Amino acid sequence: MFDLEISMGSTRRTFFLSYLLVQALYNAGNYILLVLLVLSEKKIRSFLITQDITVGKKAELIWPWTIRYGFPALLVFTIVSILFGTLWMYFGKVAGVILWILWMALCLGDPNIADAVTDAPDSILGRIGLGIAGIANFFTGTIGIITGIIIFVVVLVAIYYMVQRQMVKF
């Protein structure tokens, strides 16, 4: 996409802005679909679950999280997707393999760490999980917002720098 847009006369700055806009719109569409899915689930849940009322109570917990953390998650997903795409574009297949390995380690390791915190807090994974929870508790409120904004700006500047230095391959 980068090579095509640059070879058709676009500037790197225009590419960066269009790349940012497309990813933001894509993630906003995903968020809208999530909200619609949660709303439709709330409407049809009473027809599907009639025996156990506690299941309905647990399902109600996702709505406040969806509304409260929807916009920050939208920003995070947008910047992370742009960062991963830019790293892959800048460094090539090696970066893609490394990012894939990190993603799979996160997807496969995170549930084990979460289970170890409650089941075996003295194990290595339990200690890792407790350490992550301690760090997450430190970054709540104003400290978390300021840190998030700083990280957001630094990553955005790094992405812009990489796009400006990216070579066009024909």
Side-chain angles (χ1 to χ4, degrees), residues 5-132:
E5 193 168 330
I6 298 299
S7 67
M8 305 260 317
S10 178
T11 64
R12 285 173 166 78
R13 181 176 300 157
T14 306
F15 169 78
F16 174 74
L17 294 174
S18 67
Y19 190 39
L20 184 65
L21 180 65
V22 166
Q23 288 300 319
L25 290 174
Y26 176 76
N27 287 316
N30 285 337
Y31 176 68
I32 290 168
L33 288 174
L34 174 70
V35 168
L36 292 174
L37 181 66
V38 169
L39 288 174
S40 64
E41 187 269 339
K42 286 174 71 172
K43 294 291 183 192
I44 65 171
R45 185 182 58 243
S46 60
F47 298 113
L48 299 176
I49 304 170
T50 57
Q51 296 91 3
D52 189 7
I53 194 69
T54 60
V55 174
K57 296 289 185 193
K58 289 179 183 176
E60 280 292 321
L61 295 177
I62 194 170
W63 181 247
W65 285 81
T66 305
I67 297 302
R68 182 174 182 188
Y69 296 111
F71 185 72
L74 178 66
L75 290 176
V76 168
F77 288 143
T78 299
I79 199 73
V80 167
S81 63
I82 291 172
L83 177 64
F84 281 14
T86 304
L87 287 172
W88 196 316
M89 178 179 65
Y90 195 76
F91 294 110
K93 292 179 184 177
V94 173
V97 170
I98 292 171
L99 291 171
W100 181 79
I101 289 170
L102 289 174
W103 176 254
M104 294 310 295
L106 178 71
C107 289
L108 297 175
D110 190 42
N112 294 331
I113 291 172
D115 290 341
V117 168
T118 56
D119 297 341
D122 291 332
S123 68
I124 293 173
L125 290 178
R127 290 181 184 173
I128 291 171
L130 290 172
I132 292 170

